[in-house]
Amino acid sequence: QVQLVESGGGLVQAGGSLRLSCAASGSIFSINAMGWYRQAPGKQRELVATISSGGSTNYADSVKGRFTISRDNAKNTVYLQMNSLKPEDTAVYYCNRVLITRTTIPLGSWGQGTQVTVSS
């Protein structure tokens, strides 16, 4: 089974930047589509961005133009570069393998995630 560990979260002021990392092990990383999710207090977990095995990307409307998902297959790592952060970006961020069809569904179990807090 694939094991994922998120890191890179922290406290940042509005307008600042953070880079999240998702380190994967236990499977063949390069064939997996990957996604970043987030869950804010009192809200459902939502999909933020995906990247396919071929490198194509998609983003939630709320983060388009501000966030960039990327992957380094040699390092078995997926990244989420977050710029121009807003208080509404505050959430616990999770990564997961995803299945992309007409919808996107997570395939693995959820880890601890990494906390992102954006102050106003």
Side-chain angles (χ1 to χ4, degrees):
Q1 300 291 331
V2 173
Q3 298 178 7
L4 303 172
V5 179
E6 302 95 340
S7 63
L11 175 64
V12 65
Q13 293 191 33
S17 298
L18 286 171
R19 189 193 194 199
L20 307 184
S21 297
C22 172
S25 64
S27 188
I28 302 176
F29 177 81
S30 63
I31 68 172
N32 298 132
M34 301 292 296
W36 281 99
Y37 293 76
R38 67 186 181 187
Q39 186 169 25
K43 299 184 67 177
Q44 296 293 313
R45 199 192 318 265
E46 65 174 342
L47 181 65
V48 174
T50 61
I51 184 165
S52 73
S53 59
S56 61
T57 59
N58 282 287
Y59 300 92
D61 288 342
S62 59
V63 307
K64 285 181 180 177
R66 300 188 299 118
F67 290 11
T68 303
I69 187 172
S70 62
R71 65 193 300 161
D72 186 337
N73 290 339
K75 295 182 178 180
N76 286 347
T77 302
V78 181
Y79 304 97
L80 186 68
Q81 178 66 47
M82 306 185 296
N83 298 325
S84 302
L85 283 162
K86 304 174 180 179
E88 51 263 45
D89 295 319
T90 295
V92 178
Y93 284 71
Y94 304 87
C95 65
N96 213 329
R97 294 180 297 129
V98 296
L99 175 65
I100 303 172
T101 57
R102 293 183 185 270
T103 61
T104 300
I105 59 171
L107 296 178
S109 60
W110 299 105
Q112 293 186 3
T114 186
Q115 175 72 52
V116 172
T117 303
V118 184
S119 62
S120 61

